[in-house]
């Protein structure tokens, strides 16, 4: 399989990223693997092909994540024809580019859609990713598995929602890694006006009712082709516990990961989501769950593989690559 990972910028990739683990797993199993940054693509002047200045990702015996990633960055870029790829794994985070490099933000979906039309297997589906990048995507799933919510740019509507619902979480509709995520107890919250102003600077606000148990963190569960991702009988899932008084359990905000046992509640939520995820081409996603409610779907570049590896001593990335092999084979 000739596989490329599409990222924001090869130079800024970090060895602990889930993308590094996926690329290493693919190279370990004998596939030809490349890294391509958002700014590394050209459209052929005469033949219309997409060409990339790509960095080879070759695994050598004894490579650590650090040495593997260092070698990728140090190799000279080579020109490859993207039309000739078997698969493209979209792992760029468009939200990261939205403010600093707005020109780069939509290009994963744009190039991905072009290559999909040319017969390349592209995951996740680029057109569905345009919707899934927004937290609005969660609203397309059954009401029983998601919290009551409001999407608006009207501060008065936010105040009204909080007065009716009570304890709520206010965050940007387009956001990631816990940035500008606030919890408010009621409409009398002293800083509600400042919170609303801060969130609306990023566009639309998403206001969700606070789900009981949220103060103890949330669960990150990985789904592959609409089903629980597992390897060796162990599930790719963990609980994220907040650190200190910060209610955000994001690992990037100091949260810590602990083991999670998948029970009937979690399986019921997965069953309610699976068919639609498959229909939308959502090959590999992470969901954040509190109790029986999904509070977020991570479809663009879900991370947390390091926690799975540390907690359970398994490499679920091999399972992801094996599933991608099957998908490419079925298309061929």
């Amino acid at each position: 399989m000739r596989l490329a990972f599409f990222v924001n910028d090869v130079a800024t990739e970090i060895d602990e990223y889930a993308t590094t683990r996926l690329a290493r797993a693919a190279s370990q199993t004998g596939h030809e693997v490349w890294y391509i940054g958002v700014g590394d693509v050209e459209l052929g002047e005469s033949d219309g092909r997409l060409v990339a200045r790509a960095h080879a990702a070759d695994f050598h015996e004894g490579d650590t994540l650090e040495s593997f990633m260092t070698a990728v960055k140090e190799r000279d870029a080579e020109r490859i024809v993207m039309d000739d790829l078997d698969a493209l794994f979209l792992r760029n985070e468009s939200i990261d580019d939205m403010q600093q490099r707005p020109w780069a933000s939509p290009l994963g979906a744009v190039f991905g859609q072009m290559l999909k039309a040319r017969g390349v297997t592209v995951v996740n589906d680029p057109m569905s990713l345009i919707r899934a990048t927004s937290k609005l995507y969660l609203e397309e799933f059954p009401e029983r598995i998601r919290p009551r919510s409001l999407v608006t740019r009207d501060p008065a509507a936010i105040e009204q929602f909080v007065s009716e619902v009570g304890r709520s979480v206010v965050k940007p509709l387009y956001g990631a890694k816990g940035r500008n995520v606030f919890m408010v107890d009621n409409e009398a919250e002293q800083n509600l006006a400042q919170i609303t102003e801060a969130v609306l600077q990023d566009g639309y606000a998403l206001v969700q009712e606070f789900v009981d148990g949220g103060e103890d963190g949330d669960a990150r569960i990985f789904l592959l082709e609409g089903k629980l991702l597992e390897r060796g009988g162990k599930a790719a899932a963990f609980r994220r516990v907040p650190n200190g008084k910060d209610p955000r359990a994001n690992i990037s905000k100091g949260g810590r990961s602990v083991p999670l046992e998948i029970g009937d509640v979690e399986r019921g939520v997965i069953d309610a989501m699976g068919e639609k995820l498959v229909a939308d081409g959502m090959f590999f996603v992470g969901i954040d769950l509190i109790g029986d409610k999904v509070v977020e779907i991570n479809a663009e570049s879900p991370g947390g593989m390091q926690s799975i590896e540390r907690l359970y001593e398994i490499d679920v990335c091999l399972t992801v690559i094996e599933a991608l092999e099957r998908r490419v084979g079925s298309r061929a």
Side-chain angles (χ1 to χ4, degrees):
M1 182 167 64
R2 200 168 189 228
L3 166 65
F5 288 87
F6 193 79
V7 300
N8 294 69
D9 189 331
V10 178
T12 59
E13 285 294 293
I14 296 174
D15 50 30
E16 281 293 322
Y17 280 174
T19 304
T20 313
R21 289 174 154 80
L22 288 164
R24 181 184 64 171
S27 184
Q28 273 182 297
T29 48
H31 298 295
E32 180 183 322
V33 182
W34 300 89
Y35 269 78
I36 299 171
V38 174
D40 296 333
V41 182
E42 297 175 7
L43 183 64
E45 183 179 3
S46 57
D47 55 21
R49 298 185 300 175
L50 284 173
V51 177
R53 300 182 299 278
H55 293 255
D58 298 328
F59 176 82
H60 297 284
E61 194 65 35
D63 262 349
T64 62
L65 285 169
E66 182 179 8
S67 62
F68 176 78
M69 192 69 250
T70 298
V72 170
K73 295 178 181 180
E74 289 180 347
R75 291 189 186 100
D76 292 335
E78 302 177 44
R79 295 174 68 83
I80 68 168
V81 178
M82 296 178 73
D83 301 52
D84 295 338
L85 293 170
D86 295 304
L88 180 71
F89 211 136
L90 295 175
R91 294 287 300 177
N92 66 304
E93 295 191 57
S94 62
I95 293 173
D96 283 0
D97 277 327
M98 197 173 288
Q99 293 186 351
Q100 298 298 323
R101 302 194 307 169
W103 60 266
S105 185
L107 289 180
V110 171
F111 292 143
Q113 184 61 22
M114 291 176 69
L115 290 170
K116 179 185 175 183
R118 300 176 186 196
V120 178
T121 297
V122 180
V123 293
N124 288 326
D125 181 83
M127 291 308 292
S128 293
L129 271 181
I130 293 175
R131 302 200 322 277
T133 301
S134 160
K135 293 178 176 63
L136 269 176
Y137 184 55
L138 178 58
E139 303 302 308
E140 299 181 25
F141 289 83
E143 190 173 341
R144 65 180 175 84
I145 66 167
R146 52 183 171 82
R148 181 178 172 184
S149 62
L150 167 73
V151 175
T152 185
R153 280 189 52 77
D154 182 1
I158 295 175
E159 184 177 350
Q160 178 65 28
F161 180 91
V162 174
S163 70
E164 294 176 1
V165 174
R167 203 174 187 192
S168 303
V169 175
V170 186
K171 55 188 174 181
L173 183 61
Y174 286 89
K177 300 177 182 176
R179 180 180 183 272
N180 277 350
V181 176
F182 302 94
M183 185 169 66
V184 296
D185 288 325
N186 52 54
E187 76 279 11
E189 167 69 45
Q190 185 176 2
N191 296 320
L192 182 57
Q194 292 92 328
I195 288 171
T196 300
E197 182 180 353
V199 173
L200 292 180
Q201 286 178 352
D202 289 337
Y204 275 87
L206 170 64
V207 193
Q208 289 178 333
E209 66 173 332
F210 184 83
V211 181
D212 289 341
E215 64 275 5
D216 298 323
D218 59 12
R220 167 63 60 88
I221 303 174
F222 292 96
L223 307 183
L224 180 66
E225 297 184 307
K227 297 180 180 179
L228 176 65
L229 172 58
E230 299 179 274
R231 190 168 188 88
K234 296 180 180 179
F238 57 90
R239 182 169 297 283
R240 302 187 301 184
V241 181
N243 185 21
K245 296 181 179 180
D246 192 331
R248 297 169 295 182
N250 308 67
I251 303 302
S252 62
K253 298 300 179 184
R256 57 187 176 89
S257 55
V258 297
L260 172 69
E261 183 175 341
I262 299 294
D264 292 341
V265 170
E266 291 81 9
R267 293 189 185 278
V269 170
I270 294 168
D271 289 344
M273 301 182 72
E275 186 175 340
K276 177 173 173 55
L277 288 171
V278 170
D280 290 347
M282 293 290 100
F283 172 75
F284 176 55
V285 304
I287 61 172
D288 295 341
L289 192 68
I290 299 175
D292 61 353
K293 296 289 190 290
V294 180
V295 294
E296 199 154 323
I297 300 172
N298 303 270
E300 195 167 48
S301 185
M305 294 292 107
Q306 67 271 34
S307 293
I308 302 297
E309 190 174 298
R310 177 180 62 82
L311 292 170
Y312 309 118
E313 297 182 344
I314 55 172
D315 185 0
V316 293
C317 292
L318 292 168
T319 304
V320 176
I321 298 303
E322 290 162 3
L324 186 56
E325 289 172 2
R326 293 192 295 271
R327 179 166 288 209
V328 168
S330 66
R331 289 197 64 170

